[in-house]
Amino acid sequence: MLKNIYNLGDSALYCDFGNDVSKEINLNVIKYFQILKNNKIDGITNLAPSYNKLVITFDLDKINFNEMKDKILNLKLTNVSLGQMKNISIPVCFDDEFSLDMNRLTNKLNKSKKSIINLLLDNSYFCYMTGFIAGMPFLGDINKSIKMDRLETPRVNVPKGSIGITEQFCNIYTFDSPGGWNILGKTPLEIFDTSNEKKPNLIDPGDQVTFYEISKKEFIKKKDEWLF
């Protein structure tokens, strides 16, 4: 549960749930995020959950650190609804054009491309958080046998839709962006829809994600159809 609450500058604080990265800890972060969001405490300007922390920014004209801390400590957590957590299946094409780091992985892991793909697909991933770029989901936990460090030299540009892995996580690039994750494939699915103001994210913290393989022909054919 909540370990401590620390000041973060003049108008922010963070709730510390520990140093470990686990589904159990992250669900506690999501629980506090959800109840604070639902309670609509006057003065809160933003809530930003991460793996094991929750950053809260507030308006100093309406509330100060000690008042905000007291409100958090007095929250009633019984019967907290975590909302509608979804099971989402994501199509991925592993064609050589999209598998930018597959050769690197096969060499360093001493596994075949097919083996790496199967280990990625034969798993269910928990969304710990979204961030870095808008809507990018951080999905854990990958099979330990394909855990990999970041690239020694990050790319200047990773194409939108790329599926990457590093350490215990898998992610999906929602925009063209610099990045140092190991890229295994690409999805045609729109993960973050800028035209949808009410619900731009396809994947939210707490959702479960699985991947399935598609051919390059299917990727091209379906790209314009796979919008959420």
Side-chain angles (χ1 to χ4, degrees):
M1 294 297 287
L2 181 59
K3 301 289 186 182
N4 214 330
I5 299 174
Y6 297 98
N7 216 338
L8 190 63
D10 293 334
S11 58
L13 58 79
Y14 73 90
C15 300
D16 182 14
F17 294 82
N19 295 322
D20 294 336
V21 177
S22 71
K23 183 176 178 179
E24 180 181 1
I25 288 176
N26 190 248
L27 282 171
N28 285 325
V29 176
I30 295 171
K31 184 183 290 186
Y32 272 82
F33 168 77
Q34 193 66 52
I35 195 170
L36 284 166
K37 185 178 176 181
N38 291 344
N39 280 5
K40 295 181 171 57
I41 295 173
D42 189 34
I44 291 180
T45 57
N46 191 52
L47 298 166
S50 69
Y51 303 131
N52 47 29
K53 306 289 187 289
L54 175 62
V55 175
I56 303 169
T57 54
F58 49 86
D59 185 346
L60 273 175
D61 291 332
K62 296 182 178 179
I63 194 168
N64 62 39
F65 170 78
N66 289 324
E67 291 170 336
M68 189 71 250
K69 182 177 179 179
D70 287 343
K71 286 184 179 295
I72 295 169
L73 293 175
N74 289 320
L75 287 174
K76 295 181 180 179
L77 299 177
T78 55
N79 299 320
V80 178
S81 172
L82 294 179
Q84 187 67 35
M85 294 182 178
K86 308 180 295 298
N87 294 309
I88 301 167
S89 190
I90 305 292
V92 186
C93 178
F94 297 99
D95 185 83
D96 290 345
E97 178 186 348
F98 305 136
S99 301
L100 306 181
D101 296 302
M102 189 63 78
N103 288 338
R104 176 178 186 267
L105 291 174
T106 57
N107 291 330
K108 286 188 172 288
L109 297 173
N110 194 28
K111 295 182 183 297
S112 68
K113 177 178 179 178
K114 186 63 177 175
S115 175
I116 292 171
I117 290 172
N118 287 342
L119 287 167
L120 181 74
L121 298 180
D122 190 24
N123 200 8
S124 178
Y125 301 88
F126 177 81
C127 181
Y128 283 87
M129 58 176 280
T130 60
F132 176 62
I133 56 178
M136 175 185 278
F138 285 72
L139 309 169
D141 296 290
I142 66 171
N143 188 295
K144 291 181 180 179
S145 64
I146 57 171
K147 286 180 69 173
M148 196 69 185
D149 294 335
R150 293 172 182 267
L151 300 179
E152 290 81 2
T153 303
R155 286 188 172 83
V156 175
N157 185 61
V158 178
K160 173 184 175 180
S162 294
I163 311 294
I165 62 170
T166 193
E167 299 169 353
Q168 71 189 76
F169 296 104
C170 177
N171 77 356
I172 307 171
Y173 282 77
T174 50
F175 293 89
D176 292 350
S177 167
W181 293 52
N182 301 277
I183 304 304
L184 300 184
K186 188 175 183 180
T187 181
L189 197 62
E190 194 75 25
I191 303 300
F192 186 82
D193 184 1
T194 55
S195 67
N196 190 336
E197 295 183 1
K198 291 185 178 180
K199 183 66 176 67
N201 284 29
L202 173 61
I203 303 169
D204 296 304
D207 288 345
Q208 290 287 148
V209 174
T210 56
F211 298 104
Y212 66 94
E213 185 174 4
I214 59 171
S215 66
K216 188 173 182 180
K217 184 177 180 180
E218 290 174 303
F219 181 98
I220 295 169
K221 182 179 180 182
K222 295 291 187 180
K223 192 173 191 310
D224 293 333
E225 299 177 16
W226 268 320
L227 299 175
F228 71 93

